[in-house]
Amino acid sequence: AIVDFMAGAFIRCTRNSDIILLALDDVQWMDEMSWKVVQAIFERGKNVLIICGSRPPSTNPLSVDSSFWASLQREYKDNHRFSEIDLNPFNILDVKEMIANSLDLKVTEVDCNFAQNVFNTSGGMPHFLSYMLDSIKRNNLTARLENGLVGLKSSTGKEKTEFESVNELLLYRLDSLDASVRSVLHLAAVMGTEFELLDAALAYEGVFCVKETEKLEAAMALRDSLDLAVQEGIIEELFVGGEENNDDEEVLEEDYDHGASLGDVYFALTGRKSHPLYADNRRYRFTHDSWRTSILSCMLHERRCDLHEHIAIALESYCADESEQENNIERQIRILKHWTSSGNFVRSANISLKIGGQLMLLGLNSQGIMLFDDSLSILKEQGMDSREESHGGICISILNTINVPELDRLIKLNVARGKAFSTLGMSKQSTISYQNA
């Protein structure tokens, strides 16, 4: 019912247009329910062109319904409603031509060893290739060689001119940044592929214990660091401007009509609205997931867990101050992910039980089970390398050491899973969950 409603709403809102382009990237991460909505739009839409970008399905399986996928490969392909395009990496000649275009050279001026080095490092992937050429151009790493062609400067100099992998290239660029900028990027990487400036500022204050009197200065420093990261091409701005909230404008207008002073209005603001960056909030995104992956790979696991905890506390504290944020399921799920990644089982379980219960009321039992499983994974991953006996996927030694609140949440999560499976008619899985409880 939910799928039909969402697909129907999309089709009704777009039926008067000549053509609608629905572009979806990284669909290998898309969940089963989202695929069902796309399937319904594809089957019922009359004016919709759907373009999906994905990593190779052979190595990154899609959550799409198997019968629908089979139909796409057969009758829909035969009727020219579906086509599949494989984008191959550049070959050495393509790389050589891109080097020439990037450095304003003729193709015949590019040294073969130079082109081969760039090709081997980037794997012929255009996105990585552009990063490498940008780094080479930015740091002036090329020179005229004795043979008259253009190649890399000698690796005996101060500047590094050869990279064994794309990851090494990205780390080289990160290391050239100021320590304060790298610290901000560490926080940003833990927050996720996309994040808001205001959320980053709140977490930043918690991580670095910023005093109330220093909030404005810290906020400006944070924004300057992110602006520098934007200039470096590591992140990009998706949205600029304060958070939209018409209720706030009405309140301010009402206060103004009653003669309230600016000071009265200022002190009436609470929570997120009182932060110096509230009016200048914006959304950022890493330009490519490889940047975020490289940054996370340099961080200790304990440091990542600590940052996840600070982020969760910051987001949760401001949600508690504002009722509309507390009821925002999307924001609550973000908080849940951070608590889960921090390894705090009780806090993670509390939120997953709350949100999972709401999803089950909407008939989204499968999504509720996914949230319950995410919280349970905290205990299941502890001692997972051990060969000792387990119960419900959790090592006996872990079960013997958990405290009363953790045991209480463990029972409640399994009971909730059992109820969700039962509603879906999956009696076997429901019985196992109740037995685990």
Side-chain angles (χ1 to χ4, degrees):
I2 293 291
V3 170
D4 291 335
F5 172 78
M6 295 181 68
F10 180 91
I11 292 171
R12 283 194 299 272
C13 291
T14 59
R15 63 186 174 187
N16 294 324
S17 300
D18 293 329
I19 188 170
I20 296 296
L21 175 61
L22 179 58
L24 304 170
D25 195 13
D26 288 329
V27 296
Q28 72 273 5
W29 306 123
M30 223 159 70
D31 61 84
E32 184 180 350
M33 188 64 70
S34 298
W35 270 113
K36 289 184 179 296
V37 175
V38 173
Q39 178 181 348
I41 293 174
F42 174 81
E43 292 175 342
R44 294 165 52 186
K46 304 291 186 182
N47 59 343
V48 184
L49 172 62
I50 303 176
I51 299 178
C52 297
S54 168
R55 296 178 185 177
S58 58
T59 55
N60 295 268
L62 305 177
S63 300
V64 63
D65 180 73
S66 57
S67 60
F68 175 56
W69 182 251
S71 297
L72 289 175
Q73 298 289 335
R74 292 197 297 266
E75 53 260 37
Y76 286 126
K77 181 178 285 187
D78 294 339
N79 294 329
H80 305 291
R81 289 199 60 196
F82 173 79
S83 61
E84 198 170 0
I85 303 174
D86 292 324
L87 299 179
N88 296 317
F90 284 176
N91 57 37
I92 186 67
L93 296 178
D94 295 327
V95 170
K96 202 169 185 179
E97 185 174 348
M98 188 167 178
I99 292 173
N101 291 334
S102 299
L103 302 180
D104 296 324
L105 302 170
K106 295 179 180 178
V107 176
T108 54
E109 292 182 279
V110 179
D111 181 65
C112 292
N113 292 331
F114 177 23
Q116 190 66 50
N117 177 275
V118 173
F119 175 75
N120 292 340
T121 303
S122 64
M125 299 299 290
H127 198 80
F128 297 144
L129 179 59
S130 65
Y131 278 144
M132 187 167 189
L133 294 177
D134 179 62
S135 180
I136 290 172
K137 190 173 182 179
R138 186 188 298 262
N139 295 285
N140 191 27
L141 300 182
T142 58
R144 284 283 174 181
L145 306 178
E146 293 180 357
N147 59 10
L149 302 178
V150 174
L152 292 173
K153 289 181 180 178
S154 172
S155 59
T156 58
K158 278 189 174 182
E159 296 286 355
K160 184 174 181 62
T161 58
E162 295 185 3
F163 306 93
E164 295 181 359
S165 65
V166 173
N167 186 59
E168 185 182 353
L169 165 65
L170 300 182
L171 292 178
Y172 169 73
R173 287 187 60 179
L174 290 170
D175 287 341
S176 65
L177 299 174
D178 186 76
S180 60
V181 179
R182 292 201 301 271
S183 296
V184 169
L185 287 174
H186 287 170
L187 176 64
V190 173
M191 293 193 73
T193 303
E194 292 186 16
F195 59 95
E196 290 184 13
L197 172 62
L198 184 53
D199 291 338
L202 298 175
Y204 183 86
E205 292 164 7
V207 172
F208 296 101
C209 303
V210 176
K211 299 178 181 178
E212 189 70 27
T213 56
E214 300 172 347
K215 277 190 175 182
L216 180 58
E217 182 181 353
M220 296 302 103
L222 172 68
R223 191 173 63 182
D224 290 343
S225 295
L226 291 173
D227 287 344
L228 183 57
V230 170
Q231 294 175 15
E232 290 290 327
I234 299 173
I235 60 176
E236 60 185 351
E237 286 185 11
L238 296 180
F239 170 78
V240 180
E243 296 187 358
E244 295 183 4
N245 193 328
N246 295 329
D247 294 336
D248 293 344
E249 295 177 6
E250 293 174 2
V251 170
L252 292 177
E253 290 175 3
E254 183 179 350
D255 288 342
Y256 179 77
D257 291 340
H258 287 82
S261 67
L262 182 60
D264 294 332
V265 174
Y266 175 80
F267 288 113
L269 299 177
T270 58
R272 291 167 64 86
K273 302 181 185 69
S274 66
H275 197 276
L277 292 177
Y278 179 77
D280 192 35
N281 193 24
R282 59 192 69 187
R283 180 176 286 274
Y284 293 96
R285 175 179 66 188
F286 280 92
T287 54
H288 197 276
D289 192 56
S290 55
W291 279 114
R292 181 169 177 260
T293 302
S294 295
I295 294 170
L296 292 175
S297 67
C298 297
M299 302 172 63
L300 294 174
H301 175 72
E302 292 75 12
R303 177 58 174 168
R304 294 200 300 270
C305 289
D306 183 56
L307 288 177
H308 277 298
E309 182 173 340
H310 280 292
I311 294 168
I313 291 173
L315 297 180
E316 202 169 49
S317 63
Y318 277 84
C319 277
D321 292 339
E322 303 176 27
S323 57
E324 71 273 11
Q325 293 292 345
E326 189 174 2
N327 296 324
N328 186 325
I329 291 184
E330 180 185 359
R331 183 168 285 272
Q332 289 292 324
I333 289 178
R334 286 170 54 200
I335 295 173
L336 169 61
K337 289 181 178 179
H338 287 299
W339 277 126
T340 303
S341 298
S342 73
N344 191 315
F345 176 67
V346 173
R347 301 294 284 271
S348 173
N350 286 342
I351 300 180
S352 63
L353 286 168
K354 176 183 175 182
I355 304 175
Q358 295 174 347
L359 293 176
M360 289 168 65
L361 290 175
L362 295 173
L364 302 175
N365 292 279
S366 297
Q367 282 64 37
I369 292 171
M370 290 172 62
L371 295 183
F372 303 146
D373 287 345
D374 283 345
S375 294
L376 288 170
S377 67
I378 297 176
L379 297 180
K380 290 181 178 180
E381 290 175 359
Q382 296 179 20
M384 63 184 301
D385 295 333
S386 175
R387 297 181 180 178
E388 67 176 294
E389 184 182 356
S390 63
H391 178 76
I394 304 173
C395 292
I396 296 298
S397 61
I398 301 299
L399 292 173
N400 289 336
T401 57
I402 62 176
N403 54 37
V404 174
E406 291 174 331
L407 181 60
D408 174 71
R409 304 314 188 278
L410 178 58
I411 294 173
K412 289 180 177 178
L413 283 172
N414 278 294
V415 169
R417 284 181 86 250
K419 184 177 179 180
F421 277 124
S422 177
T423 305
L424 292 171
M426 304 171 70
S427 56
K428 182 177 180 180
Q429 290 88 335
S430 177
T431 301
I432 294 174
S433 295
Y434 283 128
Q435 288 176 341
N436 290 338

